[in-house]
Amino acid sequence: MSAHTLSRRKLLQQSLLLSGALASGRALANNWPALSQPDLPATALANNEAYWESVSTFYKKATGTVNLEHGYWGKMSLPVEQSYIDLTKMVNQQLSYYARKDWYADAKAAVKAVANSLAVSADEIALTRNATEAMHNLLFQYKGIKPGDSLLWADIDYPAFQRTMSALAEQRGATGIEIALPAQASKQQLIDLYKAKIRTTPNLKLMLLTHASNQHGLILPVAEIAAYAKQHGVDVICDCAQSWGLIDFTLPALNVDWAVFNLHKWIGSPVGVGALYMRKGTLDKVAPYPGESDPDNTLVHKRVHMATSNFAAFLTVPDAIRFHEQVGPAAKMARLKYLRERWVTPARTMAHIEVLGATDDASASGMGAFRLAGQTRREQVNQLQQRLESEFGVFTVGRHDLASGSCIRVTPQIFTTLQEIDKLVDALGKLA
Ligand SMILES: Cc1ncc(COP(=O)(O)O)c(C=O)c1O
């Protein structure tokens, strides 16, 4: 992959590093050959093997066991990895001299890249170390909860966030309520279920919506549910930790006031980068981080205290987003959904397999889940995960927080091959 590193950039970098001259992240901006994308709509690119083969040359894949567990965190492409290495070296050489002088402007460039990609304004975004940090800040600094209020979440939400919501309700004398969604659902079913719950929950104040569930990849119709919640005076926090980059969307289309993101999953940044979105005009409901001050309620970054963080990881963000956008967010979503369909379609014909999650295209993502019919217990699913790995060479993960029971989550990446998916299908057939 030496072609991915332009010699001009290398020369600049080396001369800056050798001379000890101050180098900002911007000065080290990486360049790599453009991906040659056929001039086709995203849906037509989904099964264009030549394109995805060319994309996969930008990644160094492990050999051996087939990894279908890409929901934990994402792989950096080689150009992004190279940026991260260069930026790490730069920060480690320049130390505080860099951080005191150039870091602030470089961090602003990272915020701007995030905001541009999500189609919002830079003063609505703050960087965080992960989605959890952004979620904690929103939840614990939210001023609206009184004793007797209700807080709502669902079984498909990120388990740690469900527990945090529950703890928050207890702390504030509020009632925590969980909505149990069906194991399989369509967009309209989800809208109907949430609307009924919003209508019938007394004193509902705050709810969590997970755009893409980490259990089975189900996509929630966030815009429709959030609009209904707003009509009923309910505040919504949207967890986009798993959705950004897995599916193609911009924030205005989600119609939420507050959302949390990860860049270290599907955007392919180094580990340690998340983001917080707060729509302009909504900051008064969420206090600044304890000890910070924002009298006019206009400064999103005052909701977070970043402390000393991985500078290089944040500096790599513009390159990570640039690479993600070159691959094409819509094409990426279409390819990942195509890869899910490739195992889900045959799996649905197997009486011994239960496929979970989306029953329609609108609720589907590239992430999916299944279990052996009727085997919903944690131990049964953990055993199945072991079998898939040791007997069939396919690595997945058990997820255990759906109301309907445990399941195996299957998550391909854009460099996953058709043969790798077929290996899973073959294994599924033999599990009978
Ligand atoms: C839906 C969802 N929300 C939140 C998180 C938490 O992400 P992080 O650990 O990076 O904060 C995850 C991580 O897997 C997730 O899938």
Side-chain angles (χ1 to χ4, degrees), residues 170-182:
E170 205 177 308
Q171 263 182 22
R172 309 275 168 95
T175 307
I177 297 167
E178 176 182 315
I179 177 172
L181 297 172

Side-chain angles (χ1 to χ4, degrees), residues 71-72 130-132 158 161 210 212 214 239 241-242 262 264-265:
Y72 194 167
N130 45 52
T132 301
Y158 188 60
F161 293 171
T210 301
N214 85 313
D239 174 2
Q242 194 65 257
N262 268 329
H264 53 220
K265 289 191 189 286

Side-chain angles (χ1 to χ4, degrees), residues 266-288:
W266 297 98
I267 300 301
S269 79
V271 169
V273 188
L276 165 66
Y277 164 75
M278 298 183 75
R279 200 205 292 255
K280 246 180 236 159
T282 67
L283 276 65
D284 56 319
K285 291 185 178 179
V286 178

Side-chain angles (χ1 to χ4, degrees), residues 105-225:
D106 286 349
K108 271 187 154 171
V111 169
K112 198 161 176 34
V114 172
N116 286 348
S117 189
L118 289 168
V120 293
S121 123
D123 57 7
E124 296 176 304
I125 295 286
L127 294 175
T128 61
R129 282 161 285 200
N130 45 52
T132 301
E133 179 176 34
M135 180 62 76
H136 284 180
N137 293 6
L138 281 176
L139 288 177
F140 291 114
Q141 290 155 228
Y142 178 68
K143 297 192 279 194
I145 309 168
K146 299 182 305 302
D149 283 343
S150 300
L151 270 54
L152 180 68
W153 63 89
D155 66 320
I156 66 159
D157 293 332
Y158 188 60
F161 293 171
Q162 296 184 44
R163 294 194 294 271
T164 307
M165 290 282 283
S166 171
L168 183 66
E170 205 177 308
Q171 263 182 22
R172 309 275 168 95
T175 307
I177 297 167
E178 176 182 315
I179 177 172
L181 297 172
Q184 294 89 7
S186 67
K187 176 177 174 177
Q188 194 55 50
Q189 260 177 303
L190 293 164
I191 293 173
D192 294 344
L193 285 164
Y194 268 99
K195 279 187 172 177
K197 199 72 184 172
I198 292 168
R199 254 194 329 269
T200 56
T201 303
N203 305 324
L204 183 55
K205 184 72 196 178
L206 178 69
M207 64 189 283
L208 175 62
L209 289 179
T210 301
H211 194 194
S213 171
N214 85 313
Q215 301 287 303
H216 48 14
L218 183 82
I219 302 301
L220 271 194
V222 169
E224 289 85 346
I225 300 168

